[in-house]
Protein backbone atom coordinates (compact mmCIF):
# COMPACT_ATOMS: atom_id res chain seq x y z
CA UNK A 1 0.00 0.00 0.00
CA UNK A 2 1.19 3.51 -0.85
CA UNK A 3 -0.26 6.93 -0.25
CA UNK A 4 -0.35 10.19 -2.16
CA UNK A 5 -1.48 13.44 -0.54
CA UNK A 6 -3.83 15.76 -2.40
CA UNK A 7 -4.62 19.08 -0.73
CA UNK A 8 -3.90 17.59 2.66
CA UNK A 9 -5.94 14.42 2.12
CA UNK A 10 -3.99 11.15 1.99
CA UNK A 11 -5.27 8.77 -0.69
CA UNK A 12 -4.21 5.13 -0.48
CA UNK A 13 -3.57 2.95 -3.51
CA UNK A 14 -1.68 -0.08 -4.72
CA UNK A 15 -0.24 -0.89 -8.09
CA UNK A 16 1.31 -3.81 -9.91
CA UNK A 17 2.29 -5.04 -13.33
CA UNK A 18 3.41 -3.39 -16.53
CA UNK A 19 1.87 -2.92 -19.93
CA UNK A 20 -0.60 -0.80 -21.85
CA UNK A 21 -3.31 0.13 -21.62
CA UNK A 22 -3.09 0.61 -17.86
CA UNK A 23 -6.20 -0.13 -15.79
CA UNK A 24 -7.47 1.89 -12.83
CA UNK A 25 -9.96 0.15 -10.53
CA UNK A 26 -12.46 2.14 -8.45
CA UNK A 27 -14.49 0.40 -5.73
CA UNK A 28 -18.07 0.99 -4.55
CA UNK A 29 -19.47 2.82 -1.55
CA UNK A 30 -18.37 1.44 1.83
CA UNK A 31 -15.82 -0.81 0.09
CA UNK A 32 -12.08 -0.49 -0.58
CA UNK A 33 -9.40 -1.48 -3.08
CA UNK A 34 -9.35 -5.05 -1.71
CA UNK A 35 -12.64 -5.67 -3.50
CA UNK A 36 -10.60 -5.93 -6.71
CA UNK A 37 -8.36 -8.81 -5.63
CA UNK A 38 -9.72 -11.23 -8.29
CA UNK A 39 -8.92 -8.67 -11.00
CA UNK A 40 -5.55 -7.23 -9.98
CA UNK A 41 -3.54 -10.45 -10.23
CA UNK A 42 -4.81 -11.62 -13.62
CA UNK A 43 -4.64 -8.20 -15.29
CA UNK A 44 -1.23 -7.35 -13.80
CA UNK A 45 0.25 -10.13 -15.91
CA UNK A 46 -0.05 -7.94 -19.01
CA UNK A 47 -1.05 -4.46 -17.78
CA UNK A 48 -0.12 -1.85 -15.24
CA UNK A 49 -2.95 -1.92 -12.71
CA UNK A 50 -3.79 0.60 -10.01
CA UNK A 51 -6.51 0.17 -7.36
CA UNK A 52 -7.44 3.19 -5.27
CA UNK A 53 -9.10 3.71 -1.92
CA UNK A 54 -11.51 6.59 -2.51
CA UNK A 55 -11.35 9.33 0.11
CA UNK A 56 -13.37 8.25 3.13
CA UNK A 57 -12.71 4.56 2.45
CA UNK A 58 -10.15 1.92 3.27
CA UNK A 59 -6.83 3.44 4.29
CA UNK A 60 -7.49 6.86 2.79
CA UNK A 61 -8.31 9.87 4.95
CA UNK A 62 -11.97 10.61 5.72
CA UNK A 63 -12.35 14.38 6.16
CA UNK A 64 -15.71 15.89 7.06
CA UNK A 65 -16.87 17.36 3.75
CA UNK A 66 -19.45 16.78 1.00
CA UNK A 67 -18.59 13.54 -0.81
CA UNK A 68 -19.63 14.30 -4.37
CA UNK A 69 -19.10 12.43 -7.62
CA UNK A 70 -17.04 15.37 -8.81
CA UNK A 71 -14.68 15.19 -5.82
CA UNK A 72 -14.12 11.47 -6.35
CA UNK A 73 -13.56 11.91 -10.09
CA UNK A 74 -11.09 14.74 -9.48
CA UNK A 75 -9.20 12.53 -7.00
CA UNK A 76 -8.90 9.68 -9.52
CA UNK A 77 -7.82 12.05 -12.28
CA UNK A 78 -5.24 13.64 -9.97
CA UNK A 79 -3.98 10.24 -8.85
CA UNK A 80 -3.61 9.07 -12.45
CA UNK A 81 -1.57 12.14 -13.29
CA UNK A 82 0.53 11.87 -10.14
CA UNK A 83 1.41 8.25 -10.91
CA UNK A 84 1.94 8.82 -14.62
CA UNK A 85 -0.92 6.50 -15.56
CA UNK A 86 -1.78 7.73 -19.02
CA UNK A 87 -5.12 7.11 -20.72
CA UNK A 88 -6.14 4.20 -18.50
CA UNK A 89 -9.19 2.02 -18.85
CA UNK A 90 -11.12 3.02 -15.72
CA UNK A 91 -13.11 0.15 -14.21
CA UNK A 92 -15.65 0.96 -11.52
CA UNK A 93 -18.04 -1.12 -9.46
CA UNK A 94 -21.27 0.42 -8.10
CA UNK A 95 -20.35 3.95 -6.93
CA UNK A 96 -16.99 3.45 -8.64
CA UNK A 97 -18.69 3.01 -12.00
CA UNK A 98 -20.41 6.37 -11.62
CA UNK A 99 -17.11 7.94 -10.58
CA UNK A 100 -15.54 6.50 -13.74
CA UNK A 101 -18.35 7.94 -15.85
CA UNK A 102 -18.01 11.36 -14.22
CA UNK A 103 -14.26 11.16 -14.75
CA UNK A 104 -14.70 10.57 -18.48
CA UNK A 105 -17.17 13.47 -18.74
CA UNK A 106 -15.26 15.87 -16.49
CA UNK A 107 -11.71 15.00 -17.55
CA UNK A 108 -12.01 13.87 -21.20
CA UNK A 109 -8.24 13.72 -21.56
CA UNK A 110 -7.85 11.16 -18.77
CA UNK A 111 -9.58 7.85 -19.54
CA UNK A 112 -9.34 5.87 -22.76
CA UNK A 113 -12.39 3.74 -21.89
CA UNK A 114 -14.81 3.15 -19.03
CA UNK A 115 -16.23 -0.05 -17.58
CA UNK A 116 -19.23 0.25 -15.25
CA UNK A 117 -20.13 -2.80 -13.14
CA UNK A 118 -23.72 -2.91 -11.85
CA UNK A 119 -23.95 0.77 -10.91
CA UNK A 120 -27.19 2.60 -10.12
CA UNK A 121 -27.68 4.44 -13.41
CA UNK A 122 -30.79 6.42 -14.40
CA UNK A 123 -32.81 5.03 -11.47
CA UNK A 124 -36.57 5.24 -11.03
CA UNK A 125 -38.40 8.30 -9.77
CA UNK A 126 -38.70 6.62 -6.35
CA UNK A 127 -34.93 6.61 -5.82
CA UNK A 128 -34.72 9.98 -3.98
CA UNK A 129 -37.28 8.84 -1.41
CA UNK A 130 -35.32 5.63 -0.75
CA UNK A 131 -32.07 7.56 -0.45
CA UNK A 132 -33.50 10.18 1.91
CA UNK A 133 -34.69 7.42 4.25
CA UNK A 134 -31.30 5.73 4.12
CA UNK A 135 -29.44 8.98 4.82
CA UNK A 136 -31.67 9.69 7.81
CA UNK A 137 -30.95 6.21 9.19
CA UNK A 138 -27.21 6.62 8.66
CA UNK A 139 -27.36 9.85 10.65
CA UNK A 140 -29.47 8.26 13.37
CA UNK A 141 -28.47 6.34 16.50
CA UNK A 142 -27.61 3.06 14.73
CA UNK A 143 -25.79 3.80 11.45
CA UNK A 144 -24.02 0.43 11.29
CA UNK A 145 -27.30 -1.45 11.59
CA UNK A 146 -28.86 0.76 8.89
CA UNK A 147 -26.00 0.17 6.46
CA UNK A 148 -25.95 -3.56 7.21
CA UNK A 149 -29.68 -3.83 6.48
CA UNK A 150 -29.33 -1.90 3.22
CA UNK A 151 -26.38 -3.99 2.02
CA UNK A 152 -28.29 -7.20 2.80
CA UNK A 153 -30.41 -6.48 -0.27
CA UNK A 154 -27.34 -6.63 -2.55
CA UNK A 155 -26.89 -10.41 -2.46
CA UNK A 156 -28.34 -13.35 -4.34
CA UNK A 157 -28.94 -16.89 -3.01
CA UNK A 158 -25.94 -17.99 -5.06
CA UNK A 159 -23.43 -15.77 -3.26
CA UNK A 160 -20.80 -17.29 -0.99
CA UNK A 161 -21.88 -16.97 2.66
CA UNK A 162 -18.39 -16.30 4.03
CA UNK A 163 -17.71 -13.66 1.40
CA UNK A 164 -21.07 -12.04 2.17
CA UNK A 165 -20.15 -11.84 5.87
CA UNK A 166 -16.80 -10.24 5.00
CA UNK A 167 -18.48 -7.66 2.77
CA UNK A 168 -21.01 -6.74 5.44
CA UNK A 169 -18.33 -6.53 8.15
CA UNK A 170 -16.21 -4.33 5.89
CA UNK A 171 -19.03 -2.02 4.88
CA UNK A 172 -19.98 -0.97 8.40
CA UNK A 173 -16.41 0.16 9.10
CA UNK A 174 -16.83 3.09 6.71
CA UNK A 175 -17.59 6.25 8.71
CA UNK A 176 -21.29 7.18 8.54
CA UNK A 177 -20.46 10.81 7.77
CA UNK A 178 -18.95 9.48 4.55
CA UNK A 179 -21.67 7.06 3.49
CA UNK A 180 -24.52 9.42 4.34
CA UNK A 181 -22.91 12.24 2.37
CA UNK A 182 -22.29 10.03 -0.66
CA UNK A 183 -25.91 8.99 -0.93
CA UNK A 184 -27.19 12.49 -0.16
CA UNK A 185 -24.98 14.06 -2.81
CA UNK A 186 -25.78 11.36 -5.37
CA UNK A 187 -29.35 12.65 -5.69
CA UNK A 188 -28.11 15.88 -7.25
CA UNK A 189 -25.70 14.24 -9.68
CA UNK A 190 -26.77 14.33 -13.33
CA UNK A 191 -26.02 10.84 -14.63
CA UNK A 192 -27.83 11.47 -17.91
CA UNK A 193 -25.60 14.44 -18.67
CA UNK A 194 -22.48 12.45 -17.76
CA UNK A 195 -23.58 9.76 -20.21
CA UNK A 196 -24.06 12.34 -22.95
CA UNK A 197 -20.65 13.89 -22.31
CA UNK A 198 -18.72 10.61 -22.15
CA UNK A 199 -16.89 10.26 -25.45
CA UNK A 200 -14.80 7.17 -24.84
CA UNK A 201 -15.79 3.51 -25.32
CA UNK A 202 -18.21 2.51 -22.58
CA UNK A 203 -19.16 -0.93 -21.26
CA UNK A 204 -21.85 -1.66 -18.68
CA UNK A 205 -21.62 -5.09 -17.03
CA UNK A 206 -25.06 -5.97 -15.70
CA UNK A 207 -25.40 -8.44 -12.82
CA UNK A 208 -29.13 -8.78 -13.39
CA UNK A 209 -30.10 -6.41 -10.57
CA UNK A 210 -32.65 -3.59 -11.09
CA UNK A 211 -29.94 -0.96 -10.66
CA UNK A 212 -29.92 0.57 -14.13
CA UNK A 213 -32.35 1.63 -16.83
CA UNK A 214 -30.26 0.23 -19.65
CA UNK A 215 -32.89 0.95 -22.29
CA UNK A 216 -32.76 4.67 -21.56
CA UNK A 217 -28.97 4.56 -21.18
CA UNK A 218 -28.77 3.04 -24.64
CA UNK A 219 -30.91 5.83 -26.03
CA UNK A 220 -28.63 8.45 -24.49
CA UNK A 221 -25.46 6.63 -25.49
CA UNK A 222 -26.20 4.25 -28.42
CA UNK A 223 -22.54 3.19 -28.63
CA UNK A 224 -22.57 1.79 -25.09
CA UNK A 225 -21.86 -1.92 -24.94
CA UNK A 226 -23.68 -4.13 -22.45
CA UNK A 227 -22.41 -7.36 -20.94
CA UNK A 228 -24.27 -9.61 -18.53
CA UNK A 229 -23.11 -11.95 -15.80
CA UNK A 230 -25.09 -14.73 -14.16
CA UNK A 231 -24.96 -16.48 -10.80
CA UNK A 232 -24.24 -13.58 -8.46
CA UNK A 233 -25.71 -10.56 -6.77
CA UNK A 234 -24.34 -7.03 -6.87
CA UNK A 235 -20.70 -7.97 -6.14
CA UNK A 236 -20.15 -9.82 -9.38
CA UNK A 237 -16.44 -8.95 -9.59
CA UNK A 238 -15.95 -11.05 -6.44
CA UNK A 239 -18.55 -13.77 -6.98
CA UNK A 240 -18.05 -14.51 -10.69
CA UNK A 241 -14.67 -12.95 -11.50
CA UNK A 242 -14.03 -15.16 -14.53
CA UNK A 243 -17.14 -13.75 -16.19
CA UNK A 244 -16.34 -10.16 -15.26
CA UNK A 245 -12.68 -10.41 -16.26
CA UNK A 246 -13.55 -11.88 -19.64
Amino acid sequence: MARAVRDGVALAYEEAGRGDPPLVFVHGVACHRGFWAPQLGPFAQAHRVVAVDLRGHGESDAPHQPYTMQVFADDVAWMSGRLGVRRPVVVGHSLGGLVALELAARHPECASAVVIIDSVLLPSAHRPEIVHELVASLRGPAPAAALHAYFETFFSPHDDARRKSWILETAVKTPPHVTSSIWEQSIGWNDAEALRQCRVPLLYIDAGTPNADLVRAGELRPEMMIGKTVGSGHFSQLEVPDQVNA
Side-chain angles (χ1 to χ4, degrees):
M1 188 273 292
R3 282 181 155 197
V5 179
R6 179 181 182 230
D7 297 334
V9 178
L11 303 172
Y13 68 94
E14 64 180 278
E15 60 178 321
R18 297 176 64 183
D20 292 324
L23 288 85
V24 173
F25 292 92
V26 188
H27 60 78
V29 63
C31 303
H32 56 62
R33 68 186 189 279
F35 280 64
W36 295 109
Q39 284 69 48
L40 298 186
F43 281 106
Q45 295 178 24
H47 300 269
R48 184 183 182 187
V49 297
V50 176
V52 301
D53 279 348
L54 295 173
R55 67 172 61 206
H57 296 78
E59 296 180 279
S60 290
D61 288 348
H64 285 264
Q65 63 163 95
Y67 283 80
T68 67
M69 221 66 71
Q70 293 84 356
V71 165
F72 288 135
D74 289 350
D75 281 347
V76 176
W78 177 86
M79 181 76 75
S80 297
R82 174 70 176 266
L83 299 179
V85 180
R86 298 179 180 176
R87 303 289 290 169
V89 176
V90 183
V91 185
H93 171 250
S94 196
L95 166 70
L98 305 182
V99 172
L101 183 60
E102 175 67 14
L103 172 72
R106 189 174 175 87
H107 300 278
E109 77 291 346
C110 185
S112 65
V114 167
V115 180
I116 300 173
I117 303 176
D118 209 49
S119 300
V120 176
L121 187 64
L122 305 172
S124 73
H126 301 293
R127 179 70 178 174
E129 180 181 348
I130 295 170
V131 168
H132 288 317
E133 291 179 1
L134 175 61
V135 169
S137 297
L138 291 171
R139 290 175 177 165
L147 188 63
H148 191 286
Y150 185 70
F151 264 52
E152 276 279 2
T153 66
F154 292 178
F155 301 93
S156 86
H158 308 288
D159 291 341
D160 180 83
R162 286 179 296 180
R163 187 178 294 112
K164 175 182 175 180
S165 295
W166 174 76
I167 291 171
L168 292 172
E169 290 169 3
T170 299
V172 299
K173 295 177 182 177
T174 308
H177 75 269
V178 175
T179 54
S180 61
S181 179
I182 290 170
W183 271 298
E184 182 178 59
Q185 296 293 328
S186 71
I187 296 300
W189 181 61
N190 193 333
D191 49 1
E193 186 60 25
L195 269 173
R196 293 189 190 98
Q197 292 184 10
C198 178
R199 292 291 179 263
V200 298
L202 177 62
L203 167 65
Y204 188 100
I205 301 180
D206 177 21
T209 69
N211 277 342
D213 185 343
L214 295 178
V215 172
R216 185 179 170 215
E219 293 170 351
L220 292 170
R221 184 65 195 281
E223 312 94 327
M224 183 179 72
M225 295 172 283
I226 297 175
K228 293 183 181 290
T229 57
V230 296
S232 82
H234 179 56
F235 294 93
S236 54
Q237 86 277 21
L238 292 172
E239 293 292 340
V240 289
D242 290 347
Q243 295 179 46
V244 170
N245 293 0

